[in-house]
């Protein structure tokens, strides 16, 4: 008996998905907007764009004269309060002795006690005022909170600045991030921890592996959601502000399952779809099993099979039209 020859392939896991690329901008892992906690006129500004600073380096200095005067006034007020408190405490001690010999009234004793307690309270208030003015004086010096690079300077010497006004941008950290605006139709398919691929216009042909670091929960005015990805490794030559593209692979829930096989392996009768599963034998022969399957998406790699096949099945890909369930076949080399 001449056996019908067939060819076969192993099924492959279905991991097609849909790849979409979005434009974004590179930025430092840590971006700090440096500003003063007090108002004043810039007296010193030793930094410029591109400078590398270390933690504690001077960024800017506000004119300190007014704040130094406030400290001196607070110190004088504290000394005055302490002197008045000492007199009040001494008076209270003296009147208390006189009260014990019934030389003064209870009303005079209570008044002396109140004066002494008031004196102590005034000293505490003066001490806090001095601490506050010293803090205000210290705030006139702006130091780098950590090491990094100056990417932007927004003020000049002799310029009057307000509380919280940005003086400079400090970029730090070894790993770059890229923020991309994600359309609302795709945002549900992005999860923190997803692996992505990043390319930069400044370094064409080079691909950088990255991971989704942050996923925005609120859309912007353009109905997109901010998504931030972080590179796994440093990218020499790439600087914050450079253009980038991030490729995401979107897999719908139904696409995270099943296997993919060549389209030639699938045959149909009406609404039903079948494949022939090969069960090989050692002598180069085997038998085929006709099995019903549920198909999914059609891709350039083949047809997704949602149900009916597993990862260790062998699928007949050639010689199918005349096969019968249970037929013995010869495996073509």
């Amino acid at each position: 008996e001449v056996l019908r020859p067939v060819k076969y392939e192993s099924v492959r896991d279905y991991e097609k998905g849909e790849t979409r690329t979005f434009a974004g901008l590179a930025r430092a892992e840590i971006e700090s907007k440096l500003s003063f906690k007090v108002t004043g006129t810039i007296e010193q500004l030793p930094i410029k764009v591109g400078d590398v600073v270390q933690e504690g380096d001077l960024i800017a200095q506000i004119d300190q004269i007014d704040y130094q005067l406030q400290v001196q006034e607070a110190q004088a007020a504290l000394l005055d309060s302490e002197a008045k408190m000492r007199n009040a405490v001494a008076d209270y001690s003296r009147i208390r002795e006189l009260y014990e010999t019934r030389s003064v009234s209870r009303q005079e004793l209570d008044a002396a006690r109140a004066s002494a307690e008031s004196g102590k309270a005034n000293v505490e208030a003066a001490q806090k005022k001095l601490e506050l003015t010293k803090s205000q004086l210290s705030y006139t010096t702006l130091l780098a909170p950590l090491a990094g690079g100056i990417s932007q300077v927004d003020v000049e010497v002799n310029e009057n600045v307000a509380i919280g006004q940005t003086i400079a941008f400090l970029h730090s950290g070894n790993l770059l991030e890229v923020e991309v605006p994600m359309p609302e139709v795709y945002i549900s398919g992005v999860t923190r921890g997803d692996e992505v691929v990043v390319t930069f216009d400044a370094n064409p042909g080079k691909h950088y592996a990255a991971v989704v670091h942050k996923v925005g929960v609120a859309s912007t005015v353009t109905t997109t959601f901010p998504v931030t990805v972080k590179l796994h490794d440093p990218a020499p030559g790439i600087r914050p502000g450079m253009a980038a593209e991030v490729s995401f692979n979107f897999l719908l829930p139904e696409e995270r399952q099943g296997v993919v096989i060549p389209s030639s392996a699938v045959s149909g009768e009406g609404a039903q779809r079948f494949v022939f599963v090969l069960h090989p034998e050692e002598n180069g022969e085997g038998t085929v099993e006709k099995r019903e399957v549920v198909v999914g998406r059609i891709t350039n790699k083949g047809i997704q099979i949602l149900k009916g096949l597993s990862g260790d099945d062998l699928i007949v890909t050639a010689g199918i039209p005349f096969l019968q369930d249970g037929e013995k076949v010869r495996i073509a080399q």
Side-chain angles (χ1 to χ4, degrees), residues 81-99 104 108-109 111-120:
S81 297
E82 288 174 339
K84 291 179 178 178
M85 180 196 69
R86 286 193 296 269
N87 290 335
V89 169
D91 287 344
Y92 173 56
S93 178
R94 177 176 56 80
I95 291 176
R96 186 173 56 186
E97 292 176 357
L98 292 174
Y99 178 75
V104 296
E108 290 176 294
L109 176 65
R113 182 190 297 114
S115 180
E117 292 174 350
S118 176
K120 293 179 180 178

Coordinates of all heavy atoms in Angstrom, one line a residue, residues 81-99 104 108-109 111-120:
S81 N 13.4 91.3 76.1 CA 12.4 90.5 76.7 C 13.1 89.7 77.9 O 12.4 89.5 79.0 CB 11.9 89.4 75.7 OG 11.2 90.1 74.7
E82 N 14.3 89.3 77.7 CA 15.0 88.5 78.8 C 15.2 89.4 80.0 O 15.0 89.0 81.2 CB 16.3 87.9 78.3 CG 16.1 86.8 77.3 CD 17.4 86.3 76.7 OE1 18.4 87.1 76.7 OE2 17.4 85.2 76.2
A83 N 15.6 90.7 79.7 CA 15.8 91.7 80.8 C 14.5 91.9 81.6 O 14.5 91.9 82.8 CB 16.4 92.9 80.3
K84 N 13.4 92.1 80.9 CA 12.1 92.4 81.5 C 11.7 91.2 82.3 O 11.1 91.3 83.4 CB 11.1 92.8 80.5 CG 11.4 94.2 79.8 CD 10.3 94.5 78.8 CE 10.6 95.9 78.2 NZ 9.6 96.2 77.1
M85 N 11.9 90.0 81.7 CA 11.5 88.8 82.4 C 12.3 88.6 83.8 O 11.7 88.3 84.8 CB 11.8 87.5 81.6 CG 11.4 86.2 82.2 SD 12.0 84.8 81.4 CE 13.8 84.9 81.8
R86 N 13.6 88.9 83.7 CA 14.4 88.8 85.0 C 13.9 89.7 86.0 O 13.8 89.4 87.2 CB 15.9 89.1 84.7 CG 16.6 87.9 83.9 CD 18.1 88.1 83.9 NE 18.5 89.3 83.2 CZ 18.8 89.3 81.9 NH1 18.7 88.2 81.2 NH2 19.2 90.4 81.3
N87 N 13.5 91.0 85.7 CA 13.0 91.9 86.6 C 11.7 91.5 87.2 O 11.4 91.6 88.4 CB 12.8 93.3 86.0 CG 14.2 94.0 85.6 OD1 15.2 93.7 86.3 ND2 14.2 94.9 84.7
A88 N 10.8 90.9 86.3 CA 9.5 90.5 86.7 C 9.6 89.3 87.7 O 8.9 89.2 88.7 CB 8.6 90.1 85.5
V89 N 10.5 88.4 87.4 CA 10.7 87.2 88.3 C 11.3 87.6 89.6 O 10.9 87.1 90.7 CB 11.7 86.2 87.6 CG1 12.1 85.1 88.6 CG2 11.0 85.6 86.4
A90 N 12.2 88.6 89.6 CA 12.8 89.1 90.8 C 11.7 89.8 91.7 O 11.6 89.6 92.9 CB 13.9 90.1 90.5
D91 N 10.9 90.6 91.0 CA 9.8 91.3 91.7 C 8.8 90.3 92.4 O 8.4 90.4 93.5 CB 9.0 92.2 90.8 CG 9.8 93.5 90.4 OD1 10.8 93.8 91.2 OD2 9.4 94.1 89.5
Y92 N 8.5 89.2 91.6 CA 7.6 88.2 92.1 C 8.2 87.5 93.3 O 7.5 87.2 94.3 CB 7.3 87.2 91.0 CG 6.5 86.0 91.5 CD1 5.2 86.2 92.1 CD2 6.9 84.7 91.3 CE1 4.5 85.1 92.5 CE2 6.2 83.6 91.8 CZ 5.0 83.8 92.4 OH 4.2 82.8 92.8
S93 N 9.5 87.2 93.3 CA 10.2 86.5 94.4 C 10.1 87.4 95.6 O 9.8 87.0 96.8 CB 11.6 86.2 94.0 OG 12.3 85.6 95.1
R94 N 10.4 88.7 95.4 CA 10.4 89.7 96.6 C 9.0 89.8 97.2 O 8.8 89.8 98.4 CB 10.9 91.0 96.1 CG 10.9 92.1 97.2 CD 11.5 93.4 96.6 NE 10.9 93.8 95.4 CZ 9.7 94.5 95.4 NH1 9.1 94.8 96.6 NH2 9.2 94.9 94.3
I95 N 8.0 90.0 96.3 CA 6.6 90.2 96.8 C 6.1 88.9 97.5 O 5.3 89.0 98.4 CB 5.7 90.6 95.6 CG1 6.1 92.0 95.2 CG2 4.2 90.5 96.0 CD1 5.3 92.5 94.0
R96 N 6.5 87.7 97.0 CA 6.1 86.5 97.6 C 6.6 86.4 99.1 O 5.9 86.0 100.0 CB 6.6 85.3 96.8 CG 6.0 84.0 97.3 CD 6.4 82.8 96.4 NE 7.8 82.8 96.2 CZ 8.4 82.0 95.3 NH1 7.7 81.2 94.5 NH2 9.7 82.0 95.2
E97 N 7.8 86.9 99.3 CA 8.4 86.9 100.7 C 7.6 87.9 101.5 O 7.3 87.6 102.7 CB 9.9 87.3 100.6 CG 10.7 86.2 100.0 CD 12.2 86.7 99.9 OE1 12.5 87.8 100.2 OE2 13.0 85.9 99.4
L98 N 7.3 89.0 101.0 CA 6.5 90.0 101.7 C 5.1 89.5 102.0 O 4.5 89.7 103.1 CB 6.4 91.3 100.9 CG 7.7 92.1 100.8 CD1 7.5 93.3 99.8 CD2 8.2 92.6 102.1
Y99 N 4.5 88.7 101.1 CA 3.2 88.2 101.3 C 3.2 87.2 102.5 O 2.2 87.1 103.2 CB 2.7 87.5 100.0 CG 1.3 86.8 100.2 CD1 0.2 87.6 100.2 CD2 1.2 85.5 100.3 CE1 -1.1 87.0 100.4 CE2 0.0 84.9 100.4 CZ -1.2 85.7 100.5 OH -2.4 85.1 100.6
V104 N 2.1 92.5 102.1 CA 1.4 92.9 100.8 C 0.1 92.0 100.7 O 0.0 91.0 101.3 CB 2.3 92.7 99.6 CG1 3.5 93.6 99.6 CG2 2.7 91.2 99.4
E108 N -1.7 91.9 95.1 CA -0.4 92.3 94.6 C 0.5 91.1 94.3 O 1.2 91.1 93.3 CB 0.3 93.1 95.7 CG -0.3 94.5 95.9 CD 0.3 95.2 97.1 OE1 0.2 94.8 98.2 OE2 1.0 96.3 96.8
L109 N 0.3 90.0 95.0 CA 1.0 88.7 94.8 C 0.6 88.2 93.4 O 1.5 87.8 92.6 CB 0.8 87.7 95.9 CG 1.4 86.3 95.6 CD1 2.9 86.4 95.6 CD2 1.0 85.3 96.7
A111 N -0.7 89.7 90.9 CA -0.3 90.6 89.8 C 1.2 90.4 89.5 O 1.6 90.3 88.3 CB -0.5 92.0 90.2
A112 N 2.0 90.2 90.5 CA 3.5 89.9 90.3 C 3.7 88.6 89.6 O 4.6 88.4 88.8 CB 4.2 89.9 91.7
R113 N 2.9 87.5 90.0 CA 3.0 86.2 89.4 C 2.6 86.3 87.9 O 3.3 85.8 87.1 CB 2.1 85.2 90.1 CG 2.3 83.8 89.5 CD 1.2 82.9 89.9 NE 1.3 82.6 91.4 CZ 0.4 83.0 92.3 NH1 -0.7 83.7 91.8 NH2 0.5 82.7 93.5
A114 N 1.6 87.0 87.6 CA 1.1 87.2 86.2 C 2.2 87.9 85.4 O 2.5 87.6 84.2 CB -0.2 87.9 86.2
S115 N 2.8 88.9 86.0 CA 3.9 89.7 85.3 C 5.1 88.8 85.0 O 5.6 88.8 83.9 CB 4.3 90.9 86.1 OG 5.3 91.6 85.5
A116 N 5.4 87.9 85.9 CA 6.6 87.0 85.7 C 6.3 86.0 84.6 O 7.1 85.7 83.8 CB 6.9 86.3 87.0
E117 N 5.0 85.4 84.7 CA 4.7 84.4 83.6 C 4.6 85.1 82.3 O 5.0 84.5 81.3 CB 3.3 83.8 84.0 CG 3.4 82.9 85.3 CD 2.0 82.4 85.7 OE1 1.0 82.9 85.1 OE2 2.0 81.6 86.6
S118 N 4.1 86.3 82.2 CA 4.0 87.0 81.0 C 5.4 87.3 80.4 O 5.7 87.2 79.2 CB 3.3 88.4 81.1 OG 3.3 89.1 79.9
G119 N 6.4 87.6 81.3 CA 7.7 87.8 80.9 C 8.4 86.6 80.3 O 9.0 86.7 79.2
K120 N 8.1 85.4 80.9 CA 8.6 84.2 80.3 C 8.0 83.9 78.9 O 8.7 83.4 78.0 CB 8.3 83.0 81.3 CG 9.1 83.1 82.6 CD 8.7 81.9 83.5 CE 9.4 82.0 84.8 NZ 9.1 80.8 85.7

